[in-house]
Amino acid sequence: MAFLEICTYPNPVLKKKAVPITEIDDSVLQLAEDMIETMYQAPGIGLAANQVGRPLRLIVYDVTPKDQPRNPAVLINPEIISGEGSQSQEEGCLSVPEYYAEVKRHARVTVRGLNDRGVPVEICGEGLLAVVLQHEIDHLEGVLMLDRISALKRALYKKRRQKQLKSDNDSH
Ligand SMILES: [Zn+2]
């Protein structure tokens, strides 16, 4: 078990389209386990493999309320097969530090993929679960929440981030 480093914007790996997993071997299972630990430590409610520098089609998430026992899920090669309605929720992203913005997404989605035992699963989610599934599957396409906000907001964030990175560099 290990904590992984989370890649942050503008790391180019976040723009990479992740490739399907063809064999669920020990290295994939280890990665999933490490991603779950990294997600809880961050803390976050979802993580895509690109975010830890591995452009594979693998996501983990847990939308269980904090006062309830953890219930992590692993989805391999997830695909949104249908989406309906719309919702706008404030989102954050472990790869977009210190930033929150409202993002418009489907209210309900149905996702197909494989669980960590390679068994096909179909997940219907609404509300927060629907947001997390769409957000994480976006990552696998190289799409960040920044790509789903207005160009003006995006430009402001990029400016802020550049300043932040510059001052981090100056202080080292
Ligand atoms: Zn994210």
Side-chain angles (χ1 to χ4, degrees):
M1 195 172 78
F3 295 126
L4 307 169
E5 194 187 333
I6 296 176
C7 305
T8 54
Y9 178 85
N11 189 318
V13 74
L14 297 169
K15 284 267 149 209
K16 263 197 190 157
K17 200 174 146 107
V19 298
I21 290 173
T22 50
E23 195 193 340
I24 305 173
D25 57 14
D26 285 351
S27 73
V28 170
L29 295 175
Q30 186 64 54
L31 176 62
E33 210 172 287
D34 291 345
M35 281 170 59
I36 289 169
E37 289 309 315
T38 303
M39 168 181 78
Y40 286 135
Q41 190 208 28
I45 56 174
L47 197 62
N50 319 39
Q51 292 181 275
V52 293
R54 303 280 301 275
L56 297 171
R57 301 191 83 83
L58 166 63
I59 65 171
V60 300
Y61 59 90
D62 187 351
V63 295
T64 318
K66 280 197 179 68
D67 57 351
Q68 284 171 34
R70 287 173 171 181
N71 185 24
V74 175
L75 258 187
I76 293 164
N77 301 337
E79 236 180 300
I80 295 176
I81 57 162
S82 71
E84 54 179 24
S86 74
Q87 61 175 333
S88 284
Q89 302 276 356
E90 186 160 88
E91 292 183 24
C93 178
L94 296 173
S95 296
V96 185
E98 292 160 54
Y99 188 70
Y100 297 89
E102 262 193 23
V103 180
K104 195 172 169 216
R105 299 195 184 270
H106 288 302
R108 286 171 299 280
V109 290
T110 302
V111 172
R112 260 187 213 153
L114 303 172
N115 69 11
D116 52 1
R117 280 163 288 135
V119 177
V121 288
E122 191 170 297
I123 293 152
C124 303
E126 55 179 20
L128 184 61
L129 178 57
V131 169
V132 170
L133 288 168
Q134 290 170 89
H135 180 119
E136 301 312 331
I137 292 169
D138 261 1
H139 273 301
L140 303 182
E141 296 299 320
V143 173
L144 291 176
M145 57 175 279
L146 293 173
D147 300 311
R148 297 205 178 271
I149 59 177
S150 73
L152 178 64
K153 282 186 186 162
R154 186 161 54 241
L156 286 172
Y157 175 77
K158 282 183 183 176
K159 227 185 218 170
R160 200 174 93 187
R161 182 73 181 140
Q162 273 155 14
K163 252 192 207 161
Q164 205 177 36
L165 290 171
K166 189 173 179 297
S167 74
D168 283 357
N169 272 338
D170 291 348
S171 63
H172 286 164

